[in-house]
Amino acid sequence: QVQLVESGGGLVQAGESLTLSCAASGRIFSINAISWYRQAPGKQRELVADISNGGMTKYADSVKGRFTISRDNAKNTVYLQMNSLKPEDTAIYYCYWRFAGLGAYWGQGTQVTVSS
């Protein structure tokens, strides 16, 4: 079994920054790709950023140049550095891990609210 714990959400003003973290624990042998998704009220969950086990990254067009995904394999932790935040970034952010042999897991979600 795998446990994921997210942290770092909060309320900020437009233009400010936040860093989200998602730490995995349990019987982890091999991690495949890790992603951050977000879901705003009344909208579908959407992919924000993804990082492969080789460190290749991809981003939604709406966050390119502002958000950075990174991972610390030694700590089994993924980060999402969010700069120049906009009100439209307001959402619940979820990490999503794919593990070899264990399937995929979602974090519990962390609220990010950006005021104008």
Side-chain angles (χ1 to χ4, degrees):
Q1 188 72 327
V2 174
Q3 295 78 42
L4 300 178
V5 178
E6 296 186 35
S7 61
L11 171 63
V12 297
Q13 293 188 334
E16 294 184 338
S17 299
L18 277 175
T19 300
L20 306 182
S21 300
C22 179
S25 61
R27 294 176 60 83
I28 300 168
F29 299 104
S30 179
I31 303 168
N32 291 334
I34 311 171
S35 306
W36 285 97
Y37 283 76
R38 68 185 180 188
Q39 187 165 19
K43 295 187 176 181
Q44 288 188 329
R45 193 171 296 189
E46 63 174 356
L47 177 67
V48 176
D50 183 87
I51 184 165
S52 72
N53 59 355
M56 294 186 63
T57 60
K58 62 180 181 182
Y59 299 91
D61 288 342
S62 59
V63 306
K64 280 181 183 176
R66 300 188 298 123
F67 289 13
T68 302
I69 187 171
S70 62
R71 59 194 285 175
D72 185 333
N73 291 331
K75 295 181 179 180
N76 286 333
T77 301
V78 64
Y79 305 93
L80 186 67
Q81 173 69 42
M82 304 184 294
N83 298 326
S84 303
L85 282 162
K86 305 176 181 180
E88 51 265 42
D89 294 319
T90 295
I92 300 174
Y93 285 70
Y94 300 89
C95 60
Y96 180 64
W97 293 60
R98 280 89 84 198
F99 299 94
L102 294 175
Y105 291 79
W106 289 95
Q108 83 278 12
T110 186
Q111 176 71 48
V112 172
T113 303
V114 185
S115 62
S116 58

